Amino acid sequence: MVITNKLLEVYPKLQEGGGFELKIAGSTRSRTLALLPCPTTGYTIAFLKDPSTMIGQATLYIRPLQQDLPIHSENSQHASGPAITCITCQKEVMFSEMKRHRMTCNEAQTQDSDGGPKNEDRGNPVNDDEVPGPSAESAVQPVVIEECDYNETDNGDSAVGEGVMSYFMTTMISKLQFGFSLGLGGMGRMLLFEGEADHLVPAASEALIESKLFRLQVGCWATAFCTMVTGLSPAVIHVLFNGDPEMATVAIEDCPDLHIRNIIKLLDQEDLTPEEEDTISDLCMSWDLPPVTRTNRRWLQHKLLLHAVIGRTTRQIKQLRRGLKDVMLWPLLSSRPDVVQLMFPRMVKIQFTPQAGMSAGTMKTA
């Protein structure tokens, strides 16, 4: 009864509900509330602290048992605050009662404007010398709908123009270059491509893959530009256009994960310590490769690098290929390898700006 007495002391109106029940969220991100069963002794402190209830640090919600409680303010509360003049009826109203007064005052004003009784009908003559104060309704200017002339020519839409197009291009470039904010557990922006310049590979993020943003970004680039991603790794481009992954030329700079890159670099050493061998073997076992020995270092280094660059980005590359087919560029690129270098240029040779996008869009529509 300690909990019940404390709740009624803090919130006396709960007595009108005919009892109460406690509810708890089903999971961390769930909006569904689950009923917390009430024991025969009622909700007690010992029951709520019992580990079997699995409450922990969760938030409990109190719900009236028999009827809903009125949501208006308590009638027992006295008016407080200074007196304020109502801008509609010019009456002095206490500060705490002003919001409730405004609702009734606006309703009365609406009835008067709809043909209800005027001030003269109430026996309150209006003095012509007095200038009525401004009201909330008089501050709102009526909307005048003019007759449309169908013979009039349209000079253009205000939502179309170089300014709007420049803003669109800037926003799109910003998302593609600096990442998307997906709001996943406090994470920052997530880049679609990561790594060094001219060695970019698709990001190995399940959130980006499931969102199919790699397929979408191809359409964004193709809409405004004549080129796709700049600075993409040659190995990724080779596999993108149906090249054999085993024949791809993979460089150590193509591995964006610095931790994995350092482990792969250990295989260049002639002598490895037991700790270094264990580190390499752990990585190999996680990728279904045999542990390191003295005879398989070169082969193992190639396999690890190939999996780090190509194996972990297979699904992303498939989405890029699908995006090229969506924008009808796949037949051209698959039959003209010389055009691939123009569509996927090196980052040192080209740099996109919003003005460049405006020029490309103007050339397309010309």
Side-chain angles (χ1 to χ4, degrees):
M1 296 297 294
V2 177
I3 297 179
T4 303
N5 296 336
K6 185 61 177 179
L7 290 176
L8 296 179
E9 178 185 351
V10 176
Y11 193 65
K13 187 181 290 187
L14 189 60
Q15 298 179 359
E16 304 175 9
F20 65 91
E21 58 185 6
L22 298 181
K23 290 195 170 187
I24 187 173
S27 61
T28 306
R29 297 186 178 181
S30 175
R31 296 185 178 181
T32 304
L33 299 180
L35 177 64
L36 187 64
C38 182
T40 55
T41 57
Y43 294 114
T44 60
I45 297 178
F47 171 74
L48 297 180
K49 288 186 176 181
D50 191 351
S52 62
T53 58
M54 301 180 65
I55 297 177
Q57 301 295 327
T59 303
L60 294 178
Y61 298 87
I62 305 172
R63 183 183 185 277
L65 186 60
Q66 301 185 35
Q67 65 178 1
D68 296 336
L69 302 181
I71 59 176
H72 59 268
S73 59
E74 296 283 349
N75 296 328
S76 59
Q77 293 180 355
H78 299 285
S80 60
I84 302 176
T85 303
C86 178
I87 61 176
T88 303
C89 63
Q90 303 299 314
K91 290 183 179 180
E92 297 287 338
V93 183
M94 300 302 293
F95 178 83
S96 60
E97 300 292 332
M98 177 55 71
K99 290 186 177 181
R100 186 185 304 177
H101 170 76
R102 288 293 301 168
M103 297 176 61
T104 57
C105 187
N106 288 337
E107 292 178 359
Q109 189 74 11
T110 304
Q111 293 178 0
D112 294 343
S113 61
D114 293 340
K118 306 296 181 182
N119 292 332
E120 295 82 0
D121 298 336
R122 299 191 187 101
N124 297 328
V126 179
N127 189 355
D128 296 335
D129 297 334
E130 293 182 358
V131 179
S135 63
E137 287 76 16
S138 61
V140 180
Q141 299 296 331
V143 179
V144 180
I145 303 177
E146 298 182 356
E147 219 175 296
C148 179
D149 185 6
Y150 294 98
N151 297 325
E152 183 180 355
T153 24
D154 189 6
N155 294 328
D157 190 354
S158 58
V160 177
E162 292 186 0
V164 178
M165 187 178 297
S166 178
Y167 174 77
F168 172 77
M169 297 299 175
T170 303
T171 305
M172 184 174 65
I173 293 175
S174 175
K175 295 295 183 182
L176 296 177
Q177 290 185 344
F178 304 108
F180 293 83
S181 298
L182 301 181
L184 300 176
M187 296 178 62
R189 293 179 177 268
M190 303 183 68
L191 294 172
L192 289 176
F193 297 89
E194 54 187 5
E196 301 180 8
D198 294 329
H199 296 279
L200 296 177
V201 297
S205 171
E206 288 294 333
L208 296 177
I209 296 174
E210 293 178 359
S211 302
K212 297 183 179 181
L213 289 176
F214 295 98
R215 178 178 177 181
L216 176 63
Q217 70 93 23
V218 176
C220 294
W221 283 108
T223 301
F225 308 109
C226 298
T227 55
M228 296 295 160
V229 184
T230 58
L232 199 61
S233 169
V236 176
I237 297 177
H238 172 79
V239 179
L240 177 61
F241 294 99
N242 294 328
D244 186 3
E246 296 291 338
M247 301 299 295
T249 304
V250 184
I252 190 64
E253 292 81 6
D254 294 334
C255 181
D257 194 321
L258 297 180
H259 176 66
I260 297 178
R261 183 189 298 186
N262 292 332
I263 295 178
I264 297 176
K265 284 183 177 180
L266 292 176
L267 294 170
D268 292 331
Q269 302 178 9
E270 294 183 0
D271 298 325
L272 295 174
T273 63
E275 292 79 7
E276 292 175 343
E277 289 183 356
D278 293 339
T279 302
I280 298 174
S281 298
D282 291 341
L283 179 62
C284 295
M285 296 298 291
S286 64
W287 288 351
D288 298 329
L289 293 173
V292 59
T293 62
R294 287 187 175 273
T295 59
N296 69 347
R297 290 187 182 182
R298 294 302 177 189
W299 175 84
L300 196 60
Q301 184 182 39
H302 175 72
K303 288 296 183 180
L304 288 174
L305 189 58
L306 189 65
H307 183 80
V309 178
I310 303 299
R312 302 178 68 192
T313 60
T314 302
R315 291 180 293 170
Q316 298 90 311
I317 293 176
K318 288 182 179 180
Q319 288 192 18
L320 293 174
R321 189 183 299 121
R322 184 60 183 174
L324 292 174
K325 294 179 181 179
D326 292 340
V327 297
M328 304 302 292
L329 287 176
W330 180 256
L332 171 65
L333 297 178
S334 58
S335 60
R336 293 285 304 274
D338 56 317
V339 183
V340 175
Q341 298 180 1
L342 300 177
M343 300 296 291
F344 296 91
R346 308 286 289 178
M347 191 173 291
V348 295
K349 296 182 180 180
I350 190 170
Q351 181 180 4
F352 284 129
T353 61
Q355 188 61 36
M358 290 281 296
S359 302
T362 305
M363 292 176 60
K364 280 189 175 184
T365 58

